[in-house]
Amino acid sequence: MEPAQYEQLTAEQAITYQQELRHQIKLEPLNKPVRIIAGSDISFNKYSEVVYAGIVLLKYPEMEIIGHATAISRTTFPYISGLLAFREVPALLEAWNKLEIKPDVLVLDGQGIAHRRRMGIASHFGVITNTPTIGSAKSRLFGRYEEPANEPGSQSPMYDRDEVIGIALRSKKNCNPIFISPGHKVTLEQSVEVIKNCLKSYRIPEPTRQAHILVNKVRVENSSNNSGIQQFDLFS
DNA sequence: GCGACAG
DNA sequence: ATCTTGTCGC
């Protein structure tokens, strides 16, 4: 199924589709060393169907920005906990297709396999694009965990029954932890290692933090003109 | 039925 | 997610 058709799905059909996609997830070690990493995010105005998607490319582990791509799209698929991918993936894919260079791994703002059906947005995007992905969420969606110690680097596993599906990581002292889980084509251990190497002095890892800054800038610069799509002035 | 609930 | 000023704590 094409992401452009997600709009037509009912919540029930979306769940059925997740059940099919979950069988395609491969949590294997990364093929090659990470040289380029990317972060993605979405932004939108409240009550608006217009969504601003963006992906930022950075050198790893320097975290130097080397490029980006954005896309302005629309969606009517509502935000439903557990079905986030159906609302955000279509726009993210548009930005993804505009990238001049594809990263060795992509970090998405949300869960990977730390999801009831193991199909968080990171796993979903990774499977349909056949790309290594990592989920880095600001809050928990699913899974049980013990609060990690209040010390940078402290972590504790997230469980579904007796299965480890992610880790709660204290990325910064006195800040709530972030939730890391592999999306596709990467292991949980590598996911944690990569994210740790992406941390600066902020709670959020650089790829996702920069993507967030980018999409908000694009939104503010574009939502002033009522069209929702790129506007060009004839002559000037 | 009640509480939880990525962005 | 977005709307928003000040304010508490390290």
Side-chain angles (χ1 to χ4, degrees):
Chain A
M1 163 171 265
E2 296 302 315
Q5 305 179 297
Y6 290 176
E7 290 287 297
Q8 327 299 325
L9 300 177
T10 61
E12 182 182 14
Q13 295 174 316
I15 289 174
T16 296
Y17 185 51
Q18 290 185 322
Q19 298 289 24
E20 295 173 19
L21 282 185
R22 70 177 296 180
H23 301 302
Q24 293 179 47
I25 298 175
K26 299 297 181 186
L27 300 184
E28 58 198 22
L30 291 165
N31 307 319
K32 50 182 179 178
V34 181
R35 296 271 194 266
I36 300 177
I37 192 167
S40 66
D41 195 18
I42 291 287
S43 179
F44 57 87
N45 287 311
K46 200 173 185 178
Y47 308 129
S48 172
E49 299 181 346
V50 180
V51 294
Y52 303 83
I55 300 178
V56 176
L57 292 171
L58 311 86
K59 284 186 183 176
Y60 178 93
E62 296 82 359
M63 294 298 103
E64 175 192 336
I65 298 177
I66 58 175
H68 68 76
T70 61
I72 300 179
S73 183
R74 336 175 64 85
T75 182
T76 56
F77 199 99
Y79 166 70
I80 299 176
S81 181
L83 301 179
L84 177 66
F86 295 88
R87 174 177 169 72
E88 302 193 346
V89 165
L92 287 177
L93 197 54
E94 285 184 39
W96 175 259
N97 290 330
K98 290 183 180 178
L99 280 179
E100 59 278 26
I101 304 174
K102 302 307 182 194
D104 297 313
V105 60
L106 171 68
V107 182
L108 290 96
D109 191 9
Q111 319 292 336
I113 63 168
H115 180 283
R116 185 177 295 286
R117 292 173 291 280
R118 304 293 181 275
M119 284 302 294
I121 189 170
S123 294
H124 190 124
F125 195 87
V127 167
I128 68 172
T129 60
N130 191 35
T131 303
T133 57
I134 296 173
S136 176
K138 296 181 293 301
S139 62
R140 182 203 73 104
L141 166 66
F142 180 73
R144 305 184 53 171
Y145 73 100
E146 298 285 299
E147 199 66 24
N150 186 20
E151 198 62 33
S154 180
Q155 60 186 73
S156 61
M158 296 170 74
Y159 295 96
D160 175 9
R161 301 292 187 77
D162 61 345
E163 181 185 352
V164 178
I165 57 178
I167 69 102
L169 173 67
R170 187 79 63 183
S171 54
K172 182 178 180 179
K173 188 174 184 179
N174 294 320
C175 284
N176 290 323
I178 55 177
F179 303 83
I180 311 303
S181 59
H184 185 55
K185 300 181 84 173
V186 64
T187 65
L188 169 60
E189 294 66 33
Q190 291 182 316
S191 296
V192 176
E193 182 191 334
V194 169
I195 292 299
K196 280 187 172 180
N197 288 328
C198 290
L199 293 173
K200 292 293 186 181
S201 302
Y202 303 90
R203 177 196 177 211
I204 306 302
E206 281 303 291
T208 299
R209 200 175 75 80
Q210 291 300 336
H212 189 269
I213 292 173
L214 172 66
V215 296
N216 271 306
K217 184 170 62 181
V218 172
R219 176 173 61 83
V220 172
E221 293 176 345
N222 286 280
S223 58
S224 55
N225 58 57
N226 58 20
S227 69
I229 56 179
Q230 202 72 40
Q231 293 294 300
F232 292 101
D233 293 328
L234 297 185
F235 304 106
S236 167

